[in-house]
Amino acid sequence: DKGAEWQGALALLIAMCRAVLKPDHISYNTAVSACEKGIQWQRALALLDAMFEFVLEPTAVSYSAAISACEKGAQWQRA
């Protein structure tokens, strides 16, 4: 079930940070997209914030997935 993949994606991203590996745009975009599929709009937006904290400028893919997550979560005003 693709809706449950967000948990694994977030766990992998957290593991990368703990292992002193620097997640890149691809890592974050994958996690944001997984959150979008799981209708986890809060987590998707939190990941966008985390990208800024790690000095990674979100890409069009990042924003598109976050907007879609907000849409699926009926949070259109946050999009």
Side-chain angles (χ1 to χ4, degrees), residues 4 6-7 22 27 33 37 50 54 75:
W6 66 270
Q7 293 168 326
K22 185 176 177 190
S27 306
S33 293
K37 288 176 180 62
F54 286 104
Q75 297 296 317

PDB file of all heavy atoms in Angstrom, residues 4 6-7 22 27 33 37 50 54 75:
ATOM      1  N   ALA A   4       1.117   3.792   2.979  1.00  0.00           N
ATOM      2  CA  ALA A   4       1.883   3.492   4.192  1.00  0.00           C
ATOM      3  C   ALA A   4       3.384   3.674   3.995  1.00  0.00           C
ATOM      4  O   ALA A   4       4.152   3.534   4.941  1.00  0.00           O
ATOM      5  CB  ALA A   4       1.580   2.063   4.640  1.00  0.00           C
ATOM      6  N   TRP A   6       5.111   6.309   3.597  1.00  0.00           N
ATOM      7  CA  TRP A   6       5.665   7.516   4.205  1.00  0.00           C
ATOM      8  C   TRP A   6       6.425   7.186   5.479  1.00  0.00           C
ATOM      9  O   TRP A   6       7.445   7.813   5.765  1.00  0.00           O
ATOM     10  CB  TRP A   6       4.578   8.556   4.452  1.00  0.00           C
ATOM     11  CG  TRP A   6       3.546   8.172   5.471  1.00  0.00           C
ATOM     12  CD1 TRP A   6       2.376   7.519   5.250  1.00  0.00           C
ATOM     13  CD2 TRP A   6       3.617   8.411   6.874  1.00  0.00           C
ATOM     14  NE1 TRP A   6       1.706   7.336   6.418  1.00  0.00           N
ATOM     15  CE2 TRP A   6       2.445   7.877   7.443  1.00  0.00           C
ATOM     16  CE3 TRP A   6       4.547   9.018   7.710  1.00  0.00           C
ATOM     17  CZ2 TRP A   6       2.178   7.933   8.808  1.00  0.00           C
ATOM     18  CZ3 TRP A   6       4.278   9.077   9.070  1.00  0.00           C
ATOM     19  CH2 TRP A   6       3.110   8.541   9.609  1.00  0.00           C
ATOM     20  N   GLN A   7       5.958   6.200   6.233  1.00  0.00           N
ATOM     21  CA  GLN A   7       6.627   5.850   7.486  1.00  0.00           C
ATOM     22  C   GLN A   7       8.036   5.327   7.225  1.00  0.00           C
ATOM     23  O   GLN A   7       8.987   5.715   7.901  1.00  0.00           O
ATOM     24  CB  GLN A   7       5.804   4.814   8.252  1.00  0.00           C
ATOM     25  CG  GLN A   7       4.487   5.388   8.730  1.00  0.00           C
ATOM     26  CD  GLN A   7       3.539   4.322   9.231  1.00  0.00           C
ATOM     27  OE1 GLN A   7       3.517   3.203   8.720  1.00  0.00           O
ATOM     28  NE2 GLN A   7       2.744   4.678  10.227  1.00  0.00           N
ATOM     29  N   LYS A  22      24.474  13.224   4.847  1.00  0.00           N
ATOM     30  CA  LYS A  22      23.733  14.436   4.523  1.00  0.00           C
ATOM     31  C   LYS A  22      22.674  14.120   3.465  1.00  0.00           C
ATOM     32  O   LYS A  22      23.007  13.856   2.309  1.00  0.00           O
ATOM     33  CB  LYS A  22      24.682  15.515   4.006  1.00  0.00           C
ATOM     34  CG  LYS A  22      23.989  16.827   3.781  1.00  0.00           C
ATOM     35  CD  LYS A  22      24.953  17.901   3.354  1.00  0.00           C
ATOM     36  CE  LYS A  22      24.175  19.168   3.082  1.00  0.00           C
ATOM     37  NZ  LYS A  22      24.996  20.171   2.452  1.00  0.00           N
ATOM     38  N   SER A  27      16.619  12.671  -1.505  1.00  0.00           N
ATOM     39  CA  SER A  27      16.160  12.055  -0.258  1.00  0.00           C
ATOM     40  C   SER A  27      14.917  12.757   0.268  1.00  0.00           C
ATOM     41  O   SER A  27      13.916  12.115   0.629  1.00  0.00           O
ATOM     42  CB  SER A  27      17.254  12.125   0.813  1.00  0.00           C
ATOM     43  OG  SER A  27      18.457  11.584   0.354  1.00  0.00           O
ATOM     44  N   SER A  33       7.207  13.144  -1.156  1.00  0.00           N
ATOM     45  CA  SER A  33       6.287  12.441  -2.061  1.00  0.00           C
ATOM     46  C   SER A  33       5.589  11.284  -1.357  1.00  0.00           C
ATOM     47  O   SER A  33       4.398  11.042  -1.571  1.00  0.00           O
ATOM     48  CB  SER A  33       7.036  11.925  -3.293  1.00  0.00           C
ATOM     49  OG  SER A  33       7.477  13.002  -4.076  1.00  0.00           O
ATOM     50  N   LYS A  37       1.522  10.783  -0.723  1.00  0.00           N
ATOM     51  CA  LYS A  37       0.738   9.590  -1.027  1.00  0.00           C
ATOM     52  C   LYS A  37       0.000   9.074   0.205  1.00  0.00           C
ATOM     53  O   LYS A  37      -1.065   8.485   0.096  1.00  0.00           O
ATOM     54  CB  LYS A  37       1.636   8.514  -1.611  1.00  0.00           C
ATOM     55  CG  LYS A  37       2.095   8.824  -3.017  1.00  0.00           C
ATOM     56  CD  LYS A  37       3.065   7.769  -3.530  1.00  0.00           C
ATOM     57  CE  LYS A  37       3.540   8.063  -4.925  1.00  0.00           C
ATOM     58  NZ  LYS A  37       4.284   9.302  -5.076  1.00  0.00           N
ATOM     59  N   ALA A  50      12.449  21.491   7.127  1.00  0.00           N
ATOM     60  CA  ALA A  50      13.735  20.841   7.417  1.00  0.00           C
ATOM     61  C   ALA A  50      14.733  21.071   6.291  1.00  0.00           C
ATOM     62  O   ALA A  50      15.932  21.232   6.545  1.00  0.00           O
ATOM     63  CB  ALA A  50      13.532  19.348   7.655  1.00  0.00           C
ATOM     64  N   PHE A  54      18.562  22.644   6.651  1.00  0.00           N
ATOM     65  CA  PHE A  54      19.774  21.990   6.166  1.00  0.00           C
ATOM     66  C   PHE A  54      20.347  22.697   4.935  1.00  0.00           C
ATOM     67  O   PHE A  54      21.165  22.131   4.210  1.00  0.00           O
ATOM     68  CB  PHE A  54      19.517  20.516   5.852  1.00  0.00           C
ATOM     69  CG  PHE A  54      19.381  19.670   7.076  1.00  0.00           C
ATOM     70  CD1 PHE A  54      18.141  19.237   7.504  1.00  0.00           C
ATOM     71  CD2 PHE A  54      20.497  19.320   7.823  1.00  0.00           C
ATOM     72  CE1 PHE A  54      18.010  18.460   8.644  1.00  0.00           C
ATOM     73  CE2 PHE A  54      20.377  18.546   8.954  1.00  0.00           C
ATOM     74  CZ  PHE A  54      19.130  18.113   9.371  1.00  0.00           C
ATOM     75  N   GLN A  75      -6.440  20.651   2.917  1.00  0.00           N
ATOM     76  CA  GLN A  75      -5.787  21.808   3.527  1.00  0.00           C
ATOM     77  C   GLN A  75      -5.364  22.777   2.414  1.00  0.00           C
ATOM     78  O   GLN A  75      -4.245  23.250   2.360  1.00  0.00           O
ATOM     79  CB  GLN A  75      -4.556  21.362   4.327  1.00  0.00           C
ATOM     80  CG  GLN A  75      -4.878  20.459   5.480  1.00  0.00           C
ATOM     81  CD  GLN A  75      -5.717  21.147   6.533  1.00  0.00           C
ATOM     82  OE1 GLN A  75      -5.467  22.305   6.888  1.00  0.00           O
ATOM     83  NE2 GLN A  75      -6.720  20.451   7.034  1.00  0.00           N
TER      84      GLN A  75
END
